[in-house]
Amino acid sequence: MRDAMASAEVGDDVYGEDPTVNLLEEKVAKLFGKEAALFCPSGSLANQLAIRMLVAPGEELISETNSHIVRAELGAAAVFSGITTRTWESDRGLLKADDVLKIIKPNSGPYLVSTTAIAIENTHNFGGGTIQPILEIEKLRNQTKVLGISMHLDGARIWNAHIASGVKLAEYGKHFDTLSVCLSKGLGSPIGSLMLSSQEIVTKARQWRKRYGGGMRQVGIIAAAGIYAIENNLSLLNLDHKRAKLIAEIIEKVSPSLIDANSVETNIVGLDLSEFQITAKTLSDELKEEGILTSALGPKYLRLVTHFDITEQDVAKITEVLPRVLKHALVS
Ligand SMILES: *Cc1c(COP(=O)(O)O)cnc(C)c1O
């Protein structure tokens, strides 16, 4: 990847003249069956540009209650675009079309807020890497398209969903007006995400990217890492998924209240510590002392993510250390 970056051909991408960025954009648009793509410095920017294109100020985007767009982008939709949000609840972030259909309020007239777009996260990060069923996506699409409601996919981890489910990227792409995808998560690029849509919408988003200060110059050195990641690292995600499952099974043996290993489908292992005295932060600190890095994402929610920098030796260490530290936490 570093070699690909060092030897990348570059140009000024603000003028659309960086051949490596152009190649990456064409390549990713094609993979998802979209007309065009826009390279962005972050997934948050790709999400925000996309929903800005779909929802006018004072209109409403609806999303799952623990989605990244709602919880982890610091209110950007409201701050930058005047978009209001409402949310539906779910188990592990899992999409059920009926949950969404129950709360949509399209064409609400001059006195009430109108729903104009729905955002779906796949895989669902805070849900524990949950894969969204393609049949539910399809059902939601069919029932909302006729109402004039658009759909956006927050596909930061769509690569994981694709590898684990076998559903083609273009099959996911087909059901959404806009998509965001990240190169900087499991694919292992240092930086970079793309926003995908029709040519018309991407052309408009390109102006907004510049307005937000996200137009980058000779950024082919980073785009080259993205191309490398798609060509070489996508197929490695399977290993992350296998290891996450193995880790989940080991944890479940310590206490089934911590995790249902059957629910681990991709590279995220989310531990529910609500039946334990210990907080996620303390457990995370204890694991760090042992050289295992985790995220305390809630007072009682600890997230472990497998990734391709982990070696077989690391896996052996995790399977030894985790049960020991957890058993200790269980009794203390
Ligand atoms: C990481 C992530 C993003 C984008 O995050 P950035 O840090 O802005 O690149 C968006 N959605 C989900 C679900 C994510 O996990």
Side-chain angles (χ1 to χ4, degrees):
M1 184 182 279
R2 291 290 181 98
D3 288 345
M5 294 171 79
S7 60
E9 210 185 318
V10 297
D12 189 331
D13 182 48
V14 166
Y15 301 131
E17 289 172 357
D18 189 304
T20 309
V21 173
N22 292 344
L23 186 65
L24 173 68
E25 289 177 344
E26 279 161 31
K27 190 181 176 70
V28 177
K30 198 160 164 225
L31 279 176
F32 287 88
K34 290 294 174 201
E35 285 175 9
L38 182 67
F39 189 50
C40 295
S42 73
S44 297
L45 182 61
N47 273 338
Q48 291 303 322
L49 288 173
I51 62 179
R52 172 158 208 130
M53 297 303 109
L54 303 179
V55 186
E59 291 177 351
E60 170 179 86
L61 172 81
I62 58 173
S63 193
E64 199 274 336
T65 190
N66 283 315
S67 62
H68 193 280
I69 285 183
V70 168
R71 281 198 68 206
E73 296 179 16
L74 286 304
V79 173
F80 298 128
S81 309
I83 295 172
T84 72
T85 45
R86 241 170 354 106
T87 56
W88 71 86
E89 294 206 21
S90 72
D91 179 31
R92 296 188 299 112
L94 185 67
L95 174 68
K96 294 201 177 97
D98 287 341
D99 292 344
V100 187
L101 294 169
K102 250 183 251 163
I103 71 162
I104 53 168
K105 301 283 181 206
N107 305 313
S108 297
Y111 308 118
L112 298 166
V113 177
S114 294
T115 307
T116 46
I118 300 164
I120 305 294
E121 189 169 309
N122 195 12
T123 66
H124 197 294
N125 178 0
F126 297 138
T130 310
I131 300 171
Q132 308 300 5
I134 190 74
L135 288 175
E136 293 294 315
I137 293 173
E138 199 174 353
K139 178 178 171 185
L140 188 61
R141 178 60 160 177
N142 290 339
Q143 302 215 17
T144 55
K145 199 171 184 179
V146 290
L147 301 170
I149 298 177
S150 303
M151 280 180 39
H152 169 68
L153 176 72
D154 179 350
R157 295 186 171 79
I158 192 64
W159 315 102
N160 297 88
H162 159 64
I163 290 291
S165 69
V167 173
K168 291 204 165 64
L169 296 172
E171 178 65 21
Y172 285 121
K174 189 169 93 180
H175 300 295
F176 294 92
D177 299 282
T178 56
L179 296 86
S180 68
V181 303
C182 290
L183 306 166
S184 54
K185 299 279 168 81
L187 289 186
S189 266
I191 303 168
S193 294
L194 295 105
M195 177 260 182
L196 294 81
S197 189
S198 64
Q199 185 63 60
E200 187 189 348
I201 288 181
V202 168
T203 300
K204 228 168 99 186
R206 195 175 286 278
Q207 282 182 19
W208 279 98
R209 184 187 67 176
K210 182 79 173 85
R211 194 168 279 130
Y212 283 168
M216 299 180 286
R217 299 290 177 177
Q218 292 169 57
V219 74
I221 50 169
I222 292 169
I227 293 171
Y228 180 95
I230 292 167
E231 288 176 354
N232 298 279
N233 297 350
L234 182 55
S235 58
L236 303 180
L237 294 177
N238 247 332
L239 187 59
D240 291 349
H241 299 170
K242 272 197 206 125
R243 286 170 167 175
K245 182 72 112 186
L246 174 75
I247 292 167
E249 283 165 356
I250 286 163
I251 296 170
E252 190 180 31
K253 280 199 195 114
V254 177
S255 166
S257 78
L258 286 165
I259 191 158
D260 171 7
N262 281 325
S263 71
V264 175
E265 300 173 293
T266 57
N267 62 334
I268 297 178
V269 183
L271 301 196
D272 173 9
L273 298 167
S274 54
E275 299 206 351
F276 287 64
Q277 288 293 325
I278 198 165
T279 63
K281 171 82 175 65
T282 307
L283 183 55
S284 181
D285 289 345
E286 283 181 16
L287 288 169
K288 191 174 180 177
E289 298 247 312
E290 303 265 5
I292 298 172
L293 302 179
T294 60
S295 308
L297 290 179
K300 291 284 181 181
Y301 181 75
L302 188 77
R303 187 185 69 173
L304 288 76
V305 181
T306 51
H307 55 85
F308 75 179
D309 295 313
I310 294 174
T311 63
E312 276 305 310
Q313 252 177 326
D314 293 332
V315 174
K317 178 174 161 182
I318 291 163
T319 55
E320 183 270 315
V321 170
L322 256 181
R324 173 161 55 77
V325 174
L326 282 169
K327 276 177 197 156
H328 178 75
L330 189 63
V331 293
S332 64

